[in-house]
């Protein structure tokens, strides 16, 4: 393939977001280090914490870290699903609910009361009720509880090498295969 | 009566392997096993506290928390459900203003459900303080409700509540052959131990618990296993929903069963037998103990049986765990542990009870063995099919005019059973219980035999008015409740299946649920630790293969739908914040945003 043919090849449009996550998966993406440069030859970013574009437009690929802990997470996820041809659940929280789901055995009403009313050191507290604030869901859910997910990229976070392998496979039109050292360690 | 844990432990000779029986005794006094009692028991038995607590939590007949003085458990088998148990339970809950499983504030009563109680021919049924009450009607529920309100101890409830009827509709070899006590033992002694095993092998007798392993081969393996001590265990943990044939054998043919166990003991060289009786059959305990005592007096059990060998039989009562029907889990339970199936091999014939060579046989198998010992291999060989000699006792229930016990030669067609039991407009038959095979109306020519449709005894009939998906949903719920939790495929898979089936039945499922149901069922079949997990997916897979349109009709969407109600998931936060604005709700839950 001559270099100029490569030039005209359309870049993949990619959106990313962090829902109930810690941005650790995004940090891991950045950890591919100098490979970011060739990656940016292959993709262009749409809505993402890295671009600060607020809403997702038509994309080839959506990467989501974090699970669903509130109403806004659900709206954001549905917006991604509506606009991304391929949607990937990245990391433990997106796949299983992860650390935020530790609250699932607690009553969310009691959580709010403890944090905002009765907790240690709380004075004249009240539970925030501004309509701008998204309400928390009763329990934290993984992404596939609400929409169809095309790929699951496990890890907490998935290593930079795993993310690199996954993206380059997908961009090249191959079914992503992680295998030994990237997902299997024994 | 006050509770003295150390006295109870002393009564069981401080034997830690009797923990399940010890806990039964504690439950009988206090109704629960309180944490300090767990500590005391652990100390007295020299066990880690966690092990005792683990056993208390494992079995559904034990509880570490106080329950109602009257603990009502409705049998939740599909046949009870079809006979109206859900309505009766709701009625009773309403009249006490209780939620399922909740204990009333005065500590009087709790109302919940339990897995099949083996009274499918006379359901709906319930257990009250572990006593079985069949044939529930609104009137009988009314009477029970008043008795509980009046705080009348169950021992003083009217007798007409409790009788368990015996509906034997068809007798063949096993149920019609009378044997004078000792006849099989005498025949075995005359023949000699090795020749008795030989005779059993020649008869073609295969395990009646469902697996169909050759009984003679099992006995021979145990007899030749090294070591001085051996055990005979009778598996009377008849937990497969829809099965109640052992109930009849234990009630009316106990002598024949004990004869079979004694013959097995003589043949393999065991001096001790244990009958593991399911806790749902407490009404059998006294009669069985009386039969054992009578046999001891007649010299048919004890140190010198017919002056030839020593053999005695002990009764162990289970505590409500389906998985204990699996032979290695049953042995664990006999040893006073949680009923977690062991790794196999080694098999029980070499490393069974207390790691000693052990034969575990089903009740029906041992009854048949007694008859073979007496009348020879030809007695069994004369009936049945080439690979399934003898007869099979079926427990017929569901949509038939005459539910009950039917004994047939192996090879009988399903249609024949249906005709005899008076079934009309049959849509499906679940043979062998939820873990068995679901047959559709086009398969009624098939035959009950190891060559075609094997059966552990259950035969549940569903007519055209029944919703087969509701039937399968009941079965998935059963497996989710009974999974022992040891291996992940079964622990997680059974619960996922139950959740997905619930969504499909309630009309909120999507095509993904149907796809995932098949995937999870196959995964459980391929990767589970024991038979519970490997068969838990059977009803789902059978229904998907044979009743697929029933699934597709119920799907709300072919797109992927949320697996939970989004708007309802915000309700608690709405309540806490007193918000009701637009942002506090999800509207249009199936918006086109779903489309990929």
């Amino acid at each position: 393939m001559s270099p100029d043919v490569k030039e005209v090849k359309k870049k993949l449009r990619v959106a990313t977001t962090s829902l109930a996550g810690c941005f650790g998966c995004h940090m891991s993406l950045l950890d591919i280090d100098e490979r970011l440069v060739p990656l940016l030859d292959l993709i262009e970013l749409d809505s993402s914490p890295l671009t600060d574009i607020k809403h997702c437009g038509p994309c080839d690929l959506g990467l989501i870290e974090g699970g669903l802990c509130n109403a806004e997470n659900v709206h954001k996820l549905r917006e991604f699903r509506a606009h991304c041809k391929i949607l990937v659940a990245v990391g433990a929280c997106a796949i299983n609910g992860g650390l935020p789901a530790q609250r699932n055995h607690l009553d969310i009403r009691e959580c709010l009361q403890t944090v905002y009313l009765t907790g240690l050191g709380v004075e004249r507290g009240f539970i925030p009720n501004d309509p701008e604030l998204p309400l928390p869901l009763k329990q934290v859910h993984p992404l596939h509880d609400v929409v169809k997910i095309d790929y699951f990229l496990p890890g907490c976070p998935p290593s930079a090498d795993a993310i690199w392998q996954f993206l380059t496979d997908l961009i090249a039109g191959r079914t992503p295969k992680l295998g030994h050292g990237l997902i299997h360690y024994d | 009566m006050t509770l003295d844990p150390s006295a109870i432990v002393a009564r069981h000779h401080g034997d830690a392997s009797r923990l399940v029986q010890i806990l039964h005794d504690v439950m009988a006094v206090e109704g629960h096993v309180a944490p300090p009692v767990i500590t005391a028991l652990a100390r007295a038995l020299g066990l880690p506290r966690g092990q005792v607590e683990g056993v208390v939590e494992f079995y559904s007949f034990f509880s570490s928390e106080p329950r109602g003085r009257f603990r009502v458990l409705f049998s939740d088998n599909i046949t009870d459900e079809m006979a109206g148990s859900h309505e009766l339970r709701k009625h009773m809950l309403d009249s006490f203003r209780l939620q399922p499983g909740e204990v009333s504030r005065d500590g009087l009563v709790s109302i919940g459900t339990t897995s099949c109680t083996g009274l499918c021919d006379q359901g709906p049924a319930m257990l009250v303080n572990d006593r079985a009450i069949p044939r529930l009607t609104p009137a009988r529920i009314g009477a029970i409700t008043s008795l509980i309100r009046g705080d009348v101890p169950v021992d003083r409830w009217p007798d007409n509540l409790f009788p368990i009827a015996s509906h034997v509709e068809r007798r063949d070899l096993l149920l019609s052959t009378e044997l004078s006590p000792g006849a099989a033992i005498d025949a075995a002694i005359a023949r000699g131990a090795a020749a008795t095993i030989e005779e059993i092998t020649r008869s073609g007798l295969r395990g009646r618990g469902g697996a169909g392993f050759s009984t003679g081969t099992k006995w021979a393996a145990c007899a030749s296993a090294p070591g001085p001590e051996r055990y005979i265990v009778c598996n009377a943990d008849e937990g497969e929903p829809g099965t109640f044939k052992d109930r009849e054998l234990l009630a009316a043919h106990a002598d024949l069963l004990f004869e079979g166990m004694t013959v097995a003991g003589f043949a393999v060289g065991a001096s001790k037998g244990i009958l593991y009786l399911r806790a749902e059959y407490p009404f059998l305990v006294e009669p069985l103990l009386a039969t054992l005592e009578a046999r001891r007096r007649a010299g048919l059990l004890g140190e010198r049986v017919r002056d030839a060998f020593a053999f005695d039989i002990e009764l162990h009562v289970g505590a409500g765990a389906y998985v204990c029907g699996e032979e290695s889990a049953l042995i664990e339970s006999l040893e006073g542990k949680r009923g977690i199936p062991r790794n196999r091999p080694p098999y029980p014939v070499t490393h069974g009870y207390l790691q000693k060579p052990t034969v575990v046989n089903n009740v029906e198998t041992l009854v048949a063995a007694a008859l073979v010992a007496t009348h020879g291999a030809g007695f069994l060989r004369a009936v049945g099919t080439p690979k399934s000699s003898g007869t099979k006792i079926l427990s017929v229930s569901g949509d038939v005019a005459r539910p009950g016990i039917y004994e047939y030669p192996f090879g009988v067609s399903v249609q024949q059973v249906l005709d005899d039991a008076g079934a009309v407009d049959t849509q499906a038959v679940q043979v062998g219980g939820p873990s068995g095979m679901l047959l559709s109306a086009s398969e009624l020519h098939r035959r009950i035999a190891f060559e075609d449709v094997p059966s552990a005894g259950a035969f549940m009939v569903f007519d055209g008015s029944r919703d087969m998906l509701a039937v399968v949903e009941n079965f998935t719920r059963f497996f989710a409740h009974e999974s022992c939790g040891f291996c992940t495929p079964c622990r997680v898979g059974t619960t996922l299946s139950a959740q997905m089936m619930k969504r499909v039945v309630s009309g909120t499922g999507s095509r993904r649920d149907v796809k995932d149901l098949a995937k999870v069922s196959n995964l459980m079949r391929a990767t589970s630790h024991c038979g519970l997990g490997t068969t838990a997916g059977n009803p789902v897979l059978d229904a998907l293969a044979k009743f697929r349109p029933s699934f597709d009709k119920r799907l709300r969407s072919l797109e992927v739908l949320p697996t939970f109600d989004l708007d309802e998931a915000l309700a608690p936060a709405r309540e806490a914040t007193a918000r009701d604005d637009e942002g506090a709700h999800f509207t249009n839950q199936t918006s086109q945003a779903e489309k990929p």
Side-chain angles (χ1 to χ4, degrees), chain B residues 68-69 96-98 101-111:
Chain B
R69 287 199 295 289
F96 283 105
R97 295 211 175 81
L98 283 176
E102 182 193 5
V103 181
S104 63
R105 253 186 241 159
D106 52 3
L108 181 70
V109 59
S110 62
I111 301 168

Side-chain angles (χ1 to χ4, degrees), chain A residues 71 74-75 78 81-82 84 107-109 112 127-131 133-138 141 144-148, chain B residues 512 560-564 566 568-570 572-577 579 581 583-584 586 588-591 593-596:
Chain A
V74 175
H75 291 309
R78 289 179 145 180
R81 181 68 276 182
C84 300
D107 186 321
I108 185 67
R109 281 164 296 205
L112 290 169
I127 299 176
N129 59 359
D130 192 293
L133 296 170
L135 287 181
L137 297 166
K138 191 161 67 178
H141 289 266
H144 63 266
D145 269 4
V146 172
V147 300
K148 178 172 191 289
Chain B
R512 178 178 64 182
V560 169
L561 293 178
T563 58
F564 59 101
L566 287 167
E568 191 258 313
L570 290 180
R574 271 198 299 269
E575 188 192 314
T577 56
R579 275 177 59 184
D581 54 280
F586 278 104
N588 191 16
Q589 292 206 6
T590 55
S591 72
E594 299 291 309
K595 284 205 196 116

Side-chain angles (χ1 to χ4, degrees), chain B residues 4 12 40 61 202 222 228-229 248 367 376 380 397 411 452 478 531 558 562 574-575:
Chain B
D4 180 358
H12 291 273
F61 274 54
R202 261 212 312 278
C222 181
E229 277 171 84
E248 174 63 26
V367 168
L380 217 57
S397 63
D452 189 4
F478 165 75
L558 296 182
R574 271 198 299 269
E575 188 192 314

